[in-house]
Amino acid sequence: MIKRFFILSSLCMVLGVSAQKSHTVVQGDNPYNIAKKYGITVDELLKLNPKHKDGKLAIGDVLTVKTEKAAAAVAPKTVAPEKVGTIAGTPVGKIILQPKQTIYGITKQYRISETDLRKLNPELDSHMKIGDEITLPLTSIKKYGGDQPTVTATATKPVETPVEKTVTATPTPAVEGENYVIQAKDNYYRITKQFGISQQDLYTLNPGLEEKGLKPGETIKIKRSNTETVVETTNSKAKMDAGNDNPSPASNNVVIGDDYVTYTVQQGDTVFSIVNKFGVSIDELIALNPDLSKGLKTGMVLRIKKQDPVYVKKNGDALSVVLMLPFGYSTNETQYRGMALDFLTGAKLAIERNARGGQKLDVKIVDSGNEASFKNSLTQINPENTDLIIGPFFKSNVIDVLDFTKNQKIPVVAPFANTPELYNYNNLIIVETNNQTYADKLVEEVKAVYSDQKIYVVTDAKKENANYIKSGLEKAVKNPNIVIVNSPADIQLDQNMMTGQSAPVIAVLANEDMGDVFANKVIALSKEVQGIKAFSMFYSPVFEKKVDDLSQASLVYLMDRKINTDGNFEKEILAAYKSKYCKTPPKYAIVGFDVVNDMLTRENKKGEIFKQMNKVQTQLATKFEFVKSKANGAYVNTGYRVIRLVP
């Protein structure tokens, strides 16, 4: 029996489309994406809907749109897949995205890895709306497509190599108290980290915000500097790198402020070509340029978030990489040796793979020992001739390495440590997604199904995650009734005051050690009454063992790592590991491969790893989606998978 679950990327947005003169608001909608969908400006949309002139929308609201500009609804009929072109000599076709289709679902159905899917669809995350076209190998479409609607063949033309255009920029000062339009996926953590301000500063700039919360479509003020400096560049390469390298003065092309550069939109530019050129996210571009909600126009002057100075490798052609792993040989301490050895097996597979692909590497492995002996291990590192350090594993050791290399600003990768104490180091890359990111997502998920049910949050004695979730839900839903309990056994059905009958509740697990007990309790409650909704911040193996029973409670859970065993890339790596080590990769071998392979594939020939941090990449099991913790802070991974069990 096929397991009934869907895994969604955190960036997917599902938009409702109407063939009539109206649009019904669904989860994730805001004035900007609705206007964009129907080819009109936000101003036009709000004029057509005067009741919503303040931009506030609720799920189920019906909006009037212009049919002459509206996007046509996708016909549900099946079209025979036809060849629409070739990429690297491989015939490809296009499917039309249908409701409930996700990135993970497509990789499973069409037997393609997420890496290969993203290569065929470079703008994948921004093209996951109903009706969008997704490029896939033609053989996969014919073999696995079934009734999937596809695009009829059209004449193909050679892909043109983009030519850098001359740009002329005029100074546009950033204003103190600059406006920002709240997006559907925004939360306080995301906004404060993106703009490098505290939550209290955000409340001060926006009186009443703390009480009413963040609402998509509303405009808030963001504090910014109004200082700017004129810098000139000499060639196309320098224009693309503006804000990363030190430009040489020659022509009046780019204006650079404390936090941004400006760029004048040229004919043929698109939002996606601009974000790819400057290495920023769409969110960052819109945040600095609210007028983009009215569309991109030639001649428009855009502010572009200035990127950190790039790190350029020192060691000639080869990239000098140090792996710091806690083997404990020097101190005869074996506590973390198995973990370190497994990590190394995966790392070696990634190193060999990239070396075969032509990357020149000089790799050194350092035994980081234990807490007492760690500083002695630093003497094995020459900071003047090191380009990338992966490890150590533990927070205090990571800080020691950062202090040791502070003059060289060598990129340092922390595979497991993730605390706010580390967020101030701008040469640090933090791999582990933190609990606050998971909690924020869980609040969004609960909010989407909430309808006055009683909410139980199950936790341990620490209650840190539970208190954070409770605080978020109290701001996100109306009339919340939230109870924090120490055991799943304390979850009880509610009572309908009018009829006296049992009523369903929402159960949230905020602890990673109670998966079995939580699952059993939720299953028992769902057999007593329909409508139980269950959520978990953490993965537990029992969730996969009892899929059918837990689907009756519509369980939604989050996890950081998941292998798509049907993907070609994943099959290749799993087979290579088994061939080399005669077993399937254990947990820390998977982490070792994913971390090292992700970092090495972000490096270019100059070792400018920070230029590639905006790319979303999925390795064997881990999704890497890095954001800056603050304007001049560490890169933190916010990638995760959402698993929904569907009745």
Side-chain angles (χ1 to χ4, degrees):
M1 180 172 165
I2 297 175
K3 292 182 179 179
R4 296 169 290 177
F5 60 81
F6 298 95
I7 298 185
L8 306 182
S9 165
S10 63
L11 295 179
C12 286
M13 295 174 61
V14 181
L15 306 179
V17 181
S18 172
Q20 307 301 318
K21 294 183 180 181
S22 63
H23 172 92
T24 301
V25 177
V26 298
Q27 184 185 357
D29 274 351
N30 58 53
Y32 172 68
N33 63 37
I34 294 173
K36 183 179 178 182
K37 184 70 179 177
Y38 290 95
I40 59 178
T41 67
V42 173
D43 284 343
E44 288 175 322
L45 179 68
L46 297 181
K47 284 178 182 177
L48 287 168
N49 300 273
K51 288 199 307 183
H52 302 283
K53 63 182 180 181
D54 58 359
K56 296 179 181 179
L57 301 177
I59 295 174
D61 286 346
V62 178
L63 304 181
T64 301
V65 295
K66 288 185 177 180
T67 53
E68 63 269 18
K69 291 185 179 181
V74 178
K77 63 181 181 179
T78 302
V79 182
E82 299 184 50
K83 180 177 175 181
V84 297
T86 61
I87 294 178
T90 301
V92 296
K94 293 180 183 288
I95 63 169
I96 299 171
L97 199 65
Q98 298 298 290
K100 296 186 178 181
Q101 278 191 306
T102 66
I103 292 174
Y104 183 79
I106 291 171
T107 61
K108 291 284 285 184
Q109 179 178 349
Y110 291 95
R111 310 296 198 273
I112 183 174
S113 72
E114 188 169 334
T115 301
D116 291 339
L117 182 65
R118 289 184 182 279
K119 286 179 182 177
L120 292 173
N121 302 271
E123 298 166 0
L124 182 64
D125 289 318
S126 55
H127 283 77
M128 285 298 293
K129 301 183 292 294
I130 298 169
D132 281 345
E133 297 175 1
I134 304 296
T135 301
L136 291 166
L138 190 63
T139 54
S140 296
I141 295 176
K142 290 180 176 179
K143 190 172 182 180
Y144 307 115
D147 295 333
Q148 172 81 48
T150 60
V151 176
T152 305
T154 57
T156 60
K157 60 181 180 181
V159 177
E160 298 178 2
T161 303
V163 179
E164 183 70 34
K165 304 177 178 67
T166 302
V167 297
T168 303
T170 56
T172 306
V175 181
E176 186 85 349
E178 179 185 347
N179 291 336
Y180 170 69
V181 179
I182 300 170
Q183 304 300 300
K185 59 186 176 183
D186 278 339
N187 53 49
Y188 290 119
Y189 175 78
R190 183 184 180 89
I191 292 174
T192 55
K193 294 305 178 186
Q194 181 173 335
F195 291 97
I197 63 175
S198 69
Q199 196 163 321
Q200 190 55 51
D201 287 340
L202 194 65
Y203 292 150
T204 302
L205 282 167
N206 301 274
L209 181 64
E210 185 174 7
E211 291 76 22
K212 68 180 181 180
L214 298 172
K215 297 182 180 179
E218 284 193 350
T219 300
I220 58 175
K221 289 184 178 180
I222 303 295
K223 188 176 181 180
R224 286 205 170 272
S225 168
N226 59 4
T227 305
E228 62 178 22
T229 312
V230 177
V231 179
E232 301 169 336
T233 58
T234 56
N235 53 39
S236 298
K237 177 66 171 66
K239 279 178 273 186
M240 290 180 66
D241 293 347
N244 292 309
D245 297 325
N246 294 321
S248 52
S251 62
N252 192 17
N253 286 326
V254 178
V255 177
I256 302 180
D258 285 348
D259 297 316
Y260 67 90
V261 300
T262 61
Y263 171 74
T264 301
V265 177
Q266 303 295 300
Q267 186 173 2
D269 277 343
T270 66
V271 170
F272 299 110
S273 69
I274 291 170
V275 298
N276 288 331
K277 178 183 294 185
F278 289 96
V280 297
S281 70
I282 294 177
D283 284 347
E284 290 169 339
L285 189 65
I286 293 175
L288 279 174
N289 303 277
D291 285 347
L292 275 177
S293 62
K294 301 175 184 177
L296 188 70
K297 298 177 183 177
T298 301
M300 178 184 287
V301 178
L302 300 178
R303 297 188 186 116
I304 312 290
K305 183 179 178 182
K306 185 164 65 176
Q307 301 299 289
D308 291 331
V310 297
Y311 176 89
V312 180
K313 69 182 179 184
K314 316 179 185 76
N315 194 26
D317 288 339
L319 186 77
S320 180
V321 182
V322 172
L323 293 180
M324 299 194 75
L325 305 176
F327 298 113
Y329 290 117
S330 61
T331 57
N332 198 29
E333 183 175 326
T334 61
Q335 183 178 0
Y336 301 109
R337 188 173 297 169
M339 177 182 178
L341 287 169
D342 284 348
F343 187 97
L344 180 60
T345 60
K348 286 179 66 176
L349 198 66
I351 291 166
E352 292 167 358
R353 178 182 175 83
N354 284 274
R356 285 196 302 272
Q359 192 173 31
K360 295 181 180 180
L361 300 169
D362 179 9
V363 181
K364 182 175 184 177
I365 299 170
V366 173
D367 183 355
S368 59
N370 59 18
E371 297 286 332
S373 64
F374 178 77
K375 290 191 177 180
N376 291 332
S377 68
L378 292 175
T379 61
Q380 302 178 53
I381 299 174
N382 177 6
E384 301 298 334
N385 196 31
T386 300
D387 300 312
L388 177 66
I389 299 174
I390 298 178
F393 286 2
F394 311 114
K395 182 189 74 173
S396 60
N397 297 160
V398 171
I399 293 174
D400 287 338
V401 171
L402 290 165
D403 289 340
F404 180 71
T405 61
K406 62 184 177 183
N407 293 331
Q408 293 79 18
K409 290 294 183 182
I410 300 167
V412 176
V413 181
F416 302 108
N418 185 340
T419 65
E421 186 180 353
L422 297 171
Y423 290 179
N424 293 321
Y425 297 91
N426 62 3
N427 60 317
L428 179 62
I429 300 168
I430 298 174
V431 168
E432 196 83 352
T433 303
N434 66 11
N435 283 346
Q436 189 171 329
T437 301
Y438 286 105
D440 286 337
K441 179 58 181 175
L442 213 63
V443 168
E444 290 179 21
E445 293 291 325
V446 173
K447 179 183 176 182
V449 302
Y450 176 77
S451 57
D452 295 325
Q453 303 103 313
K454 188 172 184 178
I455 302 174
Y456 286 92
V457 183
V458 183
T459 185
D460 54 13
K462 294 181 181 179
K463 296 188 178 180
E464 183 179 351
N465 293 330
N467 286 332
Y468 185 86
I469 291 172
K470 182 180 179 183
S471 176
L473 287 171
E474 286 173 342
K475 295 174 183 177
V477 303
K478 294 181 179 179
N479 305 318
N481 181 5
I482 305 168
V483 179
I484 295 178
V485 295
N486 295 324
S487 168
D490 295 329
I491 304 173
Q492 302 296 326
L493 295 175
D494 205 4
Q495 296 296 315
N496 187 302
M497 298 294 290
M498 299 294 292
T499 65
Q501 295 180 331
S502 296
V505 295
I506 292 175
V508 179
L509 180 61
N511 172 275
E512 50 188 327
D513 299 322
M514 301 182 186
D516 283 2
V517 183
F518 179 80
N520 291 335
K521 181 65 176 181
V522 166
I523 291 170
L525 292 175
S526 65
K527 290 178 178 178
E528 289 187 47
V529 63
Q530 290 184 336
I532 297 291
K533 304 291 183 185
F535 301 85
S536 177
M537 266 184 69
F538 305 100
Y539 163 79
S540 174
V542 72
F543 296 162
E544 293 188 339
K545 294 176 183 176
K546 298 185 177 182
V547 167
D548 292 331
D549 289 334
L550 288 170
S551 68
Q552 300 308 308
S554 302
L555 175 66
V556 176
Y557 62 93
L558 310 180
M559 63 189 306
D560 54 353
R561 294 182 176 91
K562 177 75 175 178
I563 299 178
N564 171 19
T565 53
D566 289 325
N568 291 333
F569 171 78
E570 290 84 352
K571 286 179 179 177
E572 176 193 337
I573 301 307
L574 291 171
Y577 190 93
K578 191 166 187 178
S579 173
K580 189 176 182 67
Y581 299 108
C582 300
K583 62 179 181 179
T584 56
K587 175 182 177 180
Y588 291 110
I590 293 170
V591 177
F593 175 85
D594 283 0
V595 171
V596 175
N597 199 59
D598 190 78
M599 293 302 117
L600 294 183
T601 55
R602 290 179 192 273
E603 293 277 10
N604 62 18
K605 291 183 179 180
K606 292 184 179 180
E608 299 166 324
I609 190 171
F610 293 131
K611 275 192 173 183
Q612 280 66 242
M613 295 309 294
N614 65 304
K615 294 191 297 184
V616 177
Q617 297 189 160
T618 300
Q619 300 298 336
L620 178 59
T622 314
K623 182 173 182 177
F624 295 92
E625 184 178 352
F626 291 99
V627 300
K628 293 287 281 181
S629 61
K630 56 177 67 176
N632 196 33
Y635 287 93
V636 182
N637 186 19
T638 60
Y640 54 79
R641 299 292 181 88
V642 181
I643 296 89
R644 306 178 194 280
L645 304 189
V646 182

